[in-house]
Amino acid sequence: MNYAMKNKKITFQCAVYMGEEGVNIYSENTRVIELLRHGNFLPFIPEWHVEEHQANNAPSLECFFGSKQAIEVQGNDNFFISGKIEELTEAHTIPYFIHYILELERAKRGKATIHAAAVSKSGKGILVLGKQGSGKTSITLELCRKYGYSLIGNDLVLAGVKENVGYLYGGTKIFRIRATTIKNYNKDLERFFKPTENTDEWTRIAIIKPEEIQIVTEKSIVPIHAIYYVHLSQPNYGFFVKEVNRLFSRIYLYQIFSEYIRGSAITPLIGKSLEFSNYLPSLDNEATFKKRIKFINWIINNKNYKYVAGMLTDICTFIDQNL
């Protein structure tokens, strides 16, 4: 236990989950519960929920509110954070530190947080991959609004493989849309954008909740039926469906499946100025690496893993016809 805690009465406060994986929170201050239950971070961390009862076989996080700022890994199942409550609240430091902790729990089970989108229909899951700006959000919106799909996740998705079957465990239930996204498609969503003068279409962003545009969200764990690496192109470009390059797949998939367990996408920040916290090690190890590689190979060898490029209607029609 950290030296700052020796003379403090620390008790269990709550358990925080991202989907099935949870962490037990201990503190001398009950304010930590409200800090974790409320905040504008909630839509951006997949499947976040707070429970009153302890999580079984779960890691623990000790939270201490004082003048000394520190974040420590005290073994794979014990973590510590301290600092002024105002600074920790300002940058949502504790929630994002919890995301870092729970990524290890997911990795132990062959799961990962990945930058992707996912939808479901008739009990089948579609995982949509692509680089930033490739059209994942536009395709997801179209499938949900016009083809009867339910939203599993947009931007971040929890995915994994178990007994040689891929599953989608949830994701962020929100659309963070750039003005460029609705330039050619979903033009009716312009109403969600605030008028502004000093910004371009790439940095002009609206946050839209599914219920605001009558999109149904998926509540269950869904098996993966198909994986598509997409590229939304301009009219007259043509429509293409082909195998995804194997070398590219290995590099790209390893990157998106590793960035959270290796800590590159989940560095906790401190205070209003969003300063970097102290060094946090990668939680990756050989066992989690092997599980991650198993999932990557499962995707690469899946007969429904395809590169799909073209206009929005062509891509969505293809996905729906091959469900």
Side-chain angles (χ1 to χ4, degrees):
M1 181 178 291
N2 185 282
Y3 75 92
M5 302 301 298
K6 288 182 178 179
N7 298 318
K8 297 291 180 179
K9 185 178 180 181
I10 183 169
T11 58
F12 171 77
Q13 300 293 332
C14 61
V16 177
Y17 291 83
M18 289 176 62
E20 297 179 318
E21 287 73 40
V23 56
N24 291 316
I25 309 300
Y26 296 84
S27 181
E28 89 295 351
N29 195 323
T30 58
R31 290 179 66 185
V32 71
I33 301 175
E34 290 306 303
L35 185 155
L36 295 172
R37 278 193 172 138
H38 304 287
N40 57 18
F41 68 90
L42 290 170
F44 301 101
I45 301 182
E47 307 300 334
W48 179 276
H49 60 282
V50 178
E51 303 288 347
E52 295 180 357
H53 304 291
Q54 285 186 309
N56 295 324
N57 302 315
S60 63
L61 171 61
E62 299 172 355
C63 302
F64 173 68
F65 299 127
S67 59
K68 180 178 173 57
Q69 188 271 310
I71 299 180
E72 299 177 4
V73 178
Q74 302 176 331
N76 283 345
D77 293 322
N78 295 284
F79 301 84
F80 175 87
I81 187 167
S82 68
K84 295 180 179 179
I85 190 168
E86 296 78 12
E87 291 186 348
L88 296 179
T89 303
E90 194 79 47
H92 308 303
T93 311
I94 298 176
Y96 285 106
F97 187 39
I98 289 172
H99 192 166
Y100 164 88
I101 294 168
L102 291 182
E103 194 63 20
L104 175 59
E105 298 306 298
R106 274 184 290 281
K108 291 175 181 177
R109 297 167 173 82
K111 304 178 186 178
T113 302
I114 58 173
H115 283 283
V119 295
S120 67
K121 187 178 181 181
S122 302
K124 298 178 180 179
I126 305 294
L127 181 60
V128 182
L129 306 176
K131 297 283 188 177
Q132 186 178 31
S134 64
K136 297 188 297 297
T137 294
S138 294
I139 292 166
T140 301
L141 280 167
E142 190 79 355
L143 289 170
C144 290
R145 301 183 82 192
K146 296 183 180 180
Y147 290 79
Y149 285 74
S150 298
L151 176 68
I152 294 175
N154 185 59
D155 187 43
L156 294 182
V157 172
L158 304 180
V161 66
K162 182 179 180 182
E163 296 178 354
N164 206 36
V165 177
Y167 290 96
L168 298 168
Y169 294 90
T172 44
K173 304 294 194 293
I174 196 167
F175 293 98
R176 187 176 182 273
I177 301 177
R178 300 179 188 277
T180 52
T181 302
I182 62 165
K183 188 175 182 180
N184 298 309
Y185 312 106
N186 296 289
K187 293 182 180 180
D188 64 304
L189 301 183
E190 172 68 34
R191 69 185 188 274
F192 290 97
F193 287 81
K194 295 179 181 179
T196 184
E197 296 179 357
N198 300 316
T199 187
D200 61 7
E201 290 185 339
W202 184 253
T203 55
R204 187 170 171 241
I205 295 171
I207 304 297
I208 305 174
K209 298 177 182 178
E211 58 268 24
E212 293 178 316
I213 49 177
Q214 292 75 53
I215 287 179
V216 176
T217 56
E218 178 62 70
K219 302 295 192 297
S220 303
I221 297 170
V222 180
I224 298 174
H225 171 71
I227 310 99
Y228 298 114
Y229 185 89
V230 301
H231 182 247
L232 185 58
S233 57
Q234 297 299 317
N236 304 319
Y237 179 76
F239 179 64
F240 300 92
V241 178
K242 61 182 182 180
E243 302 297 319
V244 188
N245 178 275
R246 210 169 184 86
L247 175 60
F248 169 81
S249 289
R250 293 195 183 281
I251 296 171
Y252 168 73
L253 293 173
Y254 188 80
Q255 175 188 346
I256 66 169
F257 275 88
S258 301
E259 56 187 359
Y260 278 87
I261 188 64
R262 296 240 165 170
S264 61
I266 196 64
T267 302
L269 303 174
I270 305 289
K272 190 173 183 179
S273 60
L274 301 178
E275 297 293 331
F276 285 107
S277 62
N278 50 292
Y279 168 76
L280 289 175
S282 165
L283 298 180
D284 201 13
N285 56 54
E286 186 175 2
T288 56
F289 166 80
K290 288 181 177 179
K291 288 181 181 293
R292 190 160 67 253
I293 296 304
K294 181 179 180 180
F295 192 12
I296 290 172
N297 286 334
W298 183 87
I299 291 176
I300 292 173
N301 295 322
N302 191 300
K303 63 182 179 64
N304 292 327
Y305 175 46
K306 304 290 184 183
Y307 169 77
V308 184
M311 294 181 61
L312 183 64
T313 299
D314 292 334
I315 292 174
C316 292
T317 298
F318 171 81
I319 290 174
D320 193 53
Q321 289 179 345
N322 287 275
L323 189 66

